[in-house]
Amino acid sequence: MLSGAMLITTAVAVYYNEKSFWSYLISALITVSVGYFLVYKGRHEFSLIKRHLFLLTACCWLAICLFSTLPFVLVLPDLTYVDAVFETVSAITTTGATVLTGLDTMPRGLLFWRAILQWIGGVGIIVMAIAILPALKIGGMKLFKTENSDISEKILPRSSSLSMYIGVVYLILSVSCMLLYFLGGMSGFDAITHGMATVSTGGFANYDASFGHFNDRPHLLWISSVFMLLSALPLVLLVGTLRGHKWILFRDPQVRAFLAIVLFCALLLTWYQHEHNARPWMDALTHSVFNVVSVITTCGFASENYSAWGGLAVILFFYITFSGACSGSTSGGLKIFRTQLAGLLLIKQFKLLVHPNAVWVQKYGTKPVNDQLLGSVLAFCFVYFASIAALALGLSMFDLDFVTALTGAATAISNVGPGLGPVIGPDGNFSSLPDGAKWLISFGMILGRLEILTILLLFTPMYWRY
Amino acid sequence: MLSGAMLITTAVAVYYNEKSFWSYLISALITVSVGYFLVYKGRHEFSLIKRHLFLLTACCWLAICLFSTLPFVLVLPDLTYVDAVFETVSAITTTGATVLTGLDTMPRGLLFWRAILQWIGGVGIIVMAIAILPALKIGGMKLFKTENSDISEKILPRSSSLSMYIGVVYLILSVSCMLLYFLGGMSGFDAITHGMATVSTGGFANYDASFGHFNDRPHLLWISSVFMLLSALPLVLLVGTLRGHKWILFRDPQVRAFLAIVLFCALLLTWYQHEHNARPWMDALTHSVFNVVSVITTCGFASENYSAWGGLAVILFFYITFSGACSGSTSGGLKIFRTQLAGLLLIKQFKLLVHPNAVWVQKYGTKPVNDQLLGSVLAFCFVYFASIAALALGLSMFDLDFVTALTGAATAISNVGPGLGPVIGPDGNFSSLPDGAKWLISFGMILGRLEILTILLLFTPMYWRY
Ligand SMILES: [K+]
Ligand SMILES: [K+]
């Protein structure tokens, strides 16, 4: 486990050094020294028990967030500390909600720093999702414990080399995305930074208009949609595909449901925009697909202010803010498989209502689903929505209006990025919120990124008792 | 079971005849004859199996709704049919959302008809909640199956006379509420109709300003709050209290949580209104308590437009719209015990995360809770929120704005009454909605009243298969 933390810290340090500004260098030196200290200390802690992983994971993320604020503080002296923290947390958690305005004229080093943070955050999440969370059995993650599954042995490499394969796939995705962006007409700098923001489903753009800056070249929107979709698929299955098992992706129930939902929402909105806003079919299709994909993969690019598309669009975007994409990817949110398992429970209850004494085995894909697993998934859903509700209540304390508080909480915990409504909607910005609200949202982003329970557990007396 | 339906139909018929208008008489004749036919037919169906109860329950409610629209159609010829259905369904399900304006000058017969419909709806719900739903084991209702519980034998009369006792309690509540209203300064007519609307948690008032009409006499607001609270407690426990077991109410975990939530919300809002809106303490307290109690008991009276109290208030009222009060009362919504059981599951999951191999028995109050029960509760929660989400999506098709669609769906399925925002908020009205939206909301009210699964089950192929 510590090797994961090491890897991240090292990667961060390497990238720090790539910058030519002295401020990045100072940050890098501080980070490297602390990172070295951490690793050194880690050597003595090989006897880690599972329980400590929760604390360690949380601490690592917190530490990385804190150190990564340094460049923001050093480069933009006018930025308040809360804004720097907000922006960093937003990047690291791949949320992509920004408090900065005037991005178009921002120093390029800082824009690059934002992009690289997202990209590293993306790596961190995948490592966590594959290595740590299944071991912790959070919210049904056990289902993805790679050692347990029957198919994985045939299709996937051993666990030890799996993370390497996944790293390679992540890299291939990133590079090909950047390349296609570049060929599609972006400048080299834009191609690299937006490529990182796309593949990590971070969603920071270099422009105040977000991806809308490229609206005159619709093929860029389509390239982006494809790569957002790819990044939101389980990377483990992409590895399997690359190793020659072509249909493994489409045999996965989660992927099938995900693609079906995307298709349904995009087509519904296309129709709605054509009927309701009288847009030409092709134009409506491009922007519907792009923004639906962007929100559901929790990437959070926006090509337009979809808040203004009309009632149906707003509700639909609100829902897909929660849904999230596939587990084992960089996307946030509830994740599709949890909804599916909740649906399974419902079917079971219906069956029990009609045939009270029947007994049967429930399956998800090819894996049997027991009550324990269902319980853990539903507990997760419960705590997920409860967290959003609590966060929205907290935000409303700062006199935010109903829509801002509710969608702000949802977008933070799902790591999507933009909310809805005039304040924090796709054409809005988080900069006008009061400081307290920014702290709350930052906390919410970390909460959501670490699958909530990791953090909440640390606040229970039970955890500290023995 | 049929005796229940008989009872309702007979009661309806009796009350129909109390009206002096010919239109009520015609309605009564039609209803009586059909009711007679139903009862006659029912004699031959004693071999009812449980599965048919779902269909029967749904049909009964639907039939009652349809027949009860007659007076609206006959008395107000200008009313469209959808409005009449909406108003009737709203009354029968004790939702209390109205499409009528100019209530202050409405014929008194019609106002009385609205009140009596709510009152009968209230009786019907209690009968259903006690007699039918536990037998159907919907959404954890098994917990309240009176025959199973240990305490009930000592404290409560046999099941056969239990419904009589409950009827008596309901009657006592109604009469004392009316009496106190009358002594508090209402006219006799207002006291009777508002008494029925209070005890049934229906929430139809005789004035466009809802209960705000009586704002100059704050003691009326307090009387109303007390009776709304009483009506939202489990009537079975009230029976126990009357039979001399004084503390049975406060030993019930559901009641304790309910009262705690009410207290917390009311005090929070009082503080908020004092700080934020600079209202005097007493005034803030009165209106906070009244409106919180009104929404959480799903009564839906409003003394003011609490939509305009500020951010915190709006979010808070949105949440308590969902929560509902105690099971076994006339209130709608999710019901407190379901949230508690979901919380139990969460605690269990936390424990499992820390001590993966521990085994222990979970209890709710004095009753053990097994996984099956938890599963059924959570499936209910899932389908409850999914229904609201689907209904809101449907409503947004009619170009309702975000807040109207979302709170409209929530208020319908929870049977509260008013929504939030300028259109359907406490000072608004459902009359301006398009017809399609009214049909959807009417359907939502019935869905919510019959605990959703009863209805949804009828739409599954599984139900009809054998
Ligand atoms: K994002
Ligand atoms: K009501």
Side-chain angles (χ1 to χ4, degrees):
Chain A
M1 295 315 143
L2 260 172
S3 70
M6 253 202 294
L7 203 118
I8 296 173
T9 322
T10 323
V12 173
V14 170
Y15 278 113
Y16 272 111
N17 289 320
E18 274 185 16
K19 314 288 160 69
S20 51
F21 300 91
W22 60 270
S23 53
Y24 298 109
L25 255 170
I26 294 178
S27 316
L29 282 175
I30 298 176
T31 314
V32 166
S33 51
V34 176
Y36 193 80
F37 172 74
L38 260 175
V39 172
Y40 172 77
K41 203 167 162 252
R43 288 260 163 78
H44 301 278
E45 281 189 45
F46 262 119
S47 60
L48 269 176
I49 52 170
K50 230 180 219 178
R51 221 160 53 91
H52 290 160
L53 271 179
F54 291 104
L55 193 60
L56 194 69
T57 314
C59 285
C60 274
W61 279 83
L62 216 65
I64 293 172
C65 287
L66 281 180
F67 286 115
S68 312
T69 54
L70 285 172
F72 287 107
V73 174
L74 292 172
V75 172
L76 297 174
D78 290 345
L79 208 66
T80 59
Y81 192 67
V82 55
D83 279 357
V85 169
F86 185 95
E87 197 75 10
T88 312
V89 169
S90 175
I92 288 269
T93 59
T94 75
T95 305
T98 187
V99 287
L100 300 177
T101 45
L103 290 173
D104 307 45
T105 56
M106 195 65 71
R108 292 204 152 188
L110 207 67
L111 292 177
F112 192 75
W113 176 239
R114 298 200 318 164
I116 208 92
L117 274 182
Q118 293 174 79
W119 200 74
I120 291 167
V123 175
I125 290 144
I126 294 168
V127 169
M128 203 182 70
I130 288 165
I132 304 182
L133 289 183
L136 299 183
K137 297 180 185 166
I138 283 185
M141 281 295 190
K142 207 176 157 191
L143 202 63
F144 301 102
K145 215 171 172 176
T146 38
E147 300 96 55
N148 281 355
S149 77
D150 326 326
I151 41 158
S152 63
E153 275 165 46
K154 295 172 223 150
I155 295 165
L156 296 173
R158 292 262 171 95
S159 183
S160 50
S161 57
L162 178 62
S163 42
M164 198 202 67
Y165 273 98
I166 285 175
V168 170
V169 167
Y170 191 66
L171 211 66
I172 292 177
L173 274 180
S174 309
V175 171
S176 37
C177 181
M178 292 171 189
L179 213 65
L180 280 174
Y181 277 159
F182 184 68
L183 294 177
M186 277 194 194
S187 73
F189 181 75
D190 277 356
I192 291 175
T193 47
H194 285 93
M196 289 198 277
T198 307
V199 173
S200 66
T201 69
F204 269 144
N206 291 346
Y207 305 95
D208 286 341
S210 188
F211 222 83
H213 184 79
F214 305 106
N215 275 354
D216 49 342
R217 271 164 284 176
H219 55 274
L220 281 177
L221 299 186
W222 284 101
I223 294 173
S224 183
S225 303
V226 169
F227 276 95
M228 289 191 284
L229 269 182
L230 283 176
S231 316
L233 298 176
L235 283 181
V236 176
L237 294 184
L238 287 184
V239 171
T241 310
L242 284 187
R243 281 167 66 93
H245 300 266
K246 282 180 197 160
W247 299 108
I248 186 175
L249 261 179
F250 298 98
R251 260 187 270 124
D252 187 68
Q254 186 175 212
V255 172
R256 272 148 64 165
F258 172 61
L259 294 179
I261 293 173
V262 169
L263 202 68
F264 171 77
C265 293
L267 291 183
L268 182 63
L269 274 183
T270 306
W271 165 82
Y272 183 71
Q273 283 219 72
H274 181 74
E275 290 297 310
H276 185 257
N277 306 338
R279 293 180 76 158
W281 280 110
M282 198 53 211
D283 186 41
L285 182 69
T286 305
H287 288 285
S288 298
V289 168
F290 180 81
N291 289 293
V292 163
V293 167
S294 169
V295 172
I296 204 169
T297 61
T298 73
C299 186
F301 282 137
S303 72
E304 303 192 337
N305 180 16
Y306 47 72
S307 250
W309 282 1
L312 180 69
V314 174
I315 284 272
L316 209 61
F317 277 109
F318 182 61
Y319 292 162
I320 61 177
T321 296
F322 292 105
S323 94
C326 302
S327 186
S329 72
T330 55
S331 78
L334 197 57
K335 312 279 190 309
I336 302 280
F337 82 95
R338 296 213 175 89
T339 321
Q340 286 179 297
L341 285 180
L344 269 187
L345 177 70
L346 192 65
I347 292 172
K348 182 179 167 183
Q349 291 301 322
F350 272 144
K351 278 190 188 161
L352 278 178
L353 284 177
V354 180
H355 311 289
N357 300 315
V359 173
W360 69 98
V361 178
Q362 278 191 306
K363 288 199 169 192
Y364 179 69
T366 54
K367 297 175 192 173
V369 173
N370 62 18
D371 281 355
Q372 174 110 48
L373 188 75
L374 275 183
S376 113
V377 166
L378 286 162
F380 182 87
C381 296
F382 177 72
V383 83
Y384 177 79
F385 286 108
S387 306
I388 291 179
L391 187 57
L393 191 65
L395 289 178
S396 73
M397 289 274 201
F398 297 98
D399 271 329
L400 304 189
D401 66 284
F402 180 72
V403 176
T404 303
L406 203 61
T407 63
T411 202
I413 290 194
S414 304
N415 301 119
V416 170
L420 292 167
V423 184
I424 57 167
D427 64 342
N429 191 290
F430 285 75
S431 58
S432 64
L433 301 188
D435 283 359
K438 284 178 190 164
W439 282 115
L440 274 181
I441 291 180
S442 304
F443 178 70
M445 293 190 282
I446 297 182
L447 203 63
R449 192 70 278 185
L450 298 186
E451 304 274 329
I452 301 171
L453 291 179
T454 324
I455 301 287
L456 285 189
L457 192 66
L458 298 181
F459 289 102
T460 57
M462 213 191 301
Y463 181 78
W464 299 101
R465 204 170 284 150
Y466 86 117
Chain B
M1 295 314 141
L2 260 170
S3 70
M6 254 201 294
L7 201 118
I8 296 173
T9 322
T10 322
V12 174
V14 169
Y15 279 112
Y16 271 110
N17 290 321
E18 274 188 14
K19 314 290 161 71
S20 51
F21 300 90
W22 60 271
S23 54
Y24 298 109
L25 256 170
I26 294 178
S27 316
L29 282 176
I30 297 176
T31 312
V32 166
S33 50
V34 176
Y36 193 79
F37 171 74
L38 259 174
V39 172
Y40 172 78
K41 204 169 159 248
R43 287 261 163 76
H44 300 278
E45 282 189 44
F46 263 120
S47 60
L48 268 177
I49 51 171
K50 228 179 221 182
R51 222 160 52 90
H52 291 160
L53 270 179
F54 292 102
L55 193 60
L56 194 69
T57 313
C59 286
C60 273
W61 279 83
L62 215 65
I64 293 172
C65 285
L66 281 180
F67 285 114
S68 311
T69 53
L70 284 172
F72 287 107
V73 174
L74 292 172
V75 172
L76 297 175
D78 290 344
L79 209 63
T80 59
Y81 192 68
V82 56
D83 279 356
V85 169
F86 185 96
E87 197 76 9
T88 314
V89 169
S90 175
I92 288 267
T93 59
T94 75
T95 304
T98 186
V99 287
L100 301 177
T101 44
L103 290 173
D104 308 45
T105 56
M106 197 64 73
R108 292 206 152 191
L110 207 65
L111 292 177
F112 193 75
W113 175 238
R114 298 201 316 163
I116 208 91
L117 273 183
Q118 293 173 80
W119 201 75
I120 292 167
V123 175
I125 290 144
I126 295 168
V127 168
M128 202 181 70
I130 288 164
I132 303 182
L133 287 183
L136 300 183
K137 297 181 186 167
I138 283 186
M141 280 297 191
K142 206 178 159 190
L143 202 62
F144 301 101
K145 214 171 171 174
T146 37
E147 300 97 55
N148 280 354
S149 76
D150 326 324
I151 42 158
S152 64
E153 275 165 44
K154 295 172 222 151
I155 296 167
L156 297 173
R158 291 263 170 96
S159 183
S160 50
S161 56
L162 179 63
S163 43
M164 199 204 66
Y165 272 98
I166 285 175
V168 169
V169 168
Y170 191 66
L171 212 66
I172 293 178
L173 274 181
S174 310
V175 171
S176 36
C177 182
M178 293 169 188
L179 214 64
L180 280 173
Y181 276 157
F182 185 68
L183 295 178
M186 277 193 194
S187 73
F189 180 76
D190 278 355
I192 291 175
T193 46
H194 286 93
M196 289 199 277
T198 306
V199 172
S200 66
T201 70
F204 271 143
N206 291 347
Y207 304 95
D208 285 340
S210 188
F211 222 83
H213 184 78
F214 305 107
N215 275 353
D216 49 341
R217 270 164 285 176
H219 55 274
L220 282 177
L221 299 186
W222 284 100
I223 295 172
S224 183
S225 303
V226 169
F227 276 96
M228 288 192 284
L229 268 182
L230 283 175
S231 315
L233 298 176
L235 283 180
V236 175
L237 294 185
L238 287 184
V239 170
T241 309
L242 284 187
R243 281 167 67 94
H245 300 266
K246 281 178 196 161
W247 299 108
I248 186 174
L249 261 179
F250 298 97
R251 261 188 271 123
D252 187 68
Q254 186 174 213
V255 172
R256 272 149 64 165
F258 172 61
L259 294 179
I261 292 172
V262 169
L263 203 68
F264 171 76
C265 293
L267 291 183
L268 182 63
L269 274 183
T270 307
W271 165 81
Y272 183 71
Q273 283 219 74
H274 181 74
E275 290 296 311
H276 186 257
N277 305 338
R279 294 180 77 157
W281 282 108
M282 198 54 211
D283 186 40
L285 182 70
T286 306
H287 288 286
S288 298
V289 168
F290 180 81
N291 288 294
V292 164
V293 167
S294 168
V295 172
I296 204 168
T297 60
T298 73
C299 185
F301 280 138
S303 71
E304 304 190 338
N305 180 15
Y306 47 74
S307 250
W309 282 0
L312 180 69
V314 174
I315 284 273
L316 209 63
F317 277 110
F318 182 62
Y319 292 162
I320 61 179
T321 296
F322 291 105
S323 94
C326 302
S327 186
S329 72
T330 55
S331 78
L334 196 56
K335 311 280 190 308
I336 301 279
F337 82 96
R338 296 212 175 89
T339 320
Q340 287 179 295
L341 285 181
L344 269 188
L345 177 71
L346 192 64
I347 292 172
K348 183 179 169 184
Q349 290 302 322
F350 272 144
K351 278 191 188 163
L352 278 178
L353 283 178
V354 181
H355 311 289
N357 301 314
V359 172
W360 68 98
V361 178
Q362 280 191 304
K363 287 199 166 190
Y364 180 69
T366 55
K367 296 175 193 172
V369 173
N370 61 20
D371 282 354
Q372 174 109 50
L373 188 75
L374 275 183
S376 113
V377 166
L378 285 163
F380 181 87
C381 295
F382 177 71
V383 84
Y384 177 79
F385 285 108
S387 307
I388 291 179
L391 187 57
L393 191 65
L395 289 179
S396 72
M397 290 273 201
F398 296 98
D399 271 329
L400 304 188
D401 67 283
F402 180 71
V403 176
T404 305
L406 203 60
T407 63
T411 204
I413 291 195
S414 304
N415 301 121
V416 171
L420 292 166
V423 184
I424 58 168
D427 65 343
N429 193 289
F430 285 75
S431 58
S432 63
L433 300 188
D435 283 359
K438 284 178 189 164
W439 281 116
L440 273 181
I441 291 180
S442 304
F443 177 70
M445 293 190 282
I446 297 181
L447 204 61
R449 191 72 279 184
L450 298 186
E451 306 273 329
I452 303 171
L453 291 177
T454 325
I455 301 287
L456 286 189
L457 193 66
L458 298 180
F459 289 104
T460 58
M462 214 191 301
Y463 181 80
W464 300 101
R465 203 171 285 151
Y466 86 119

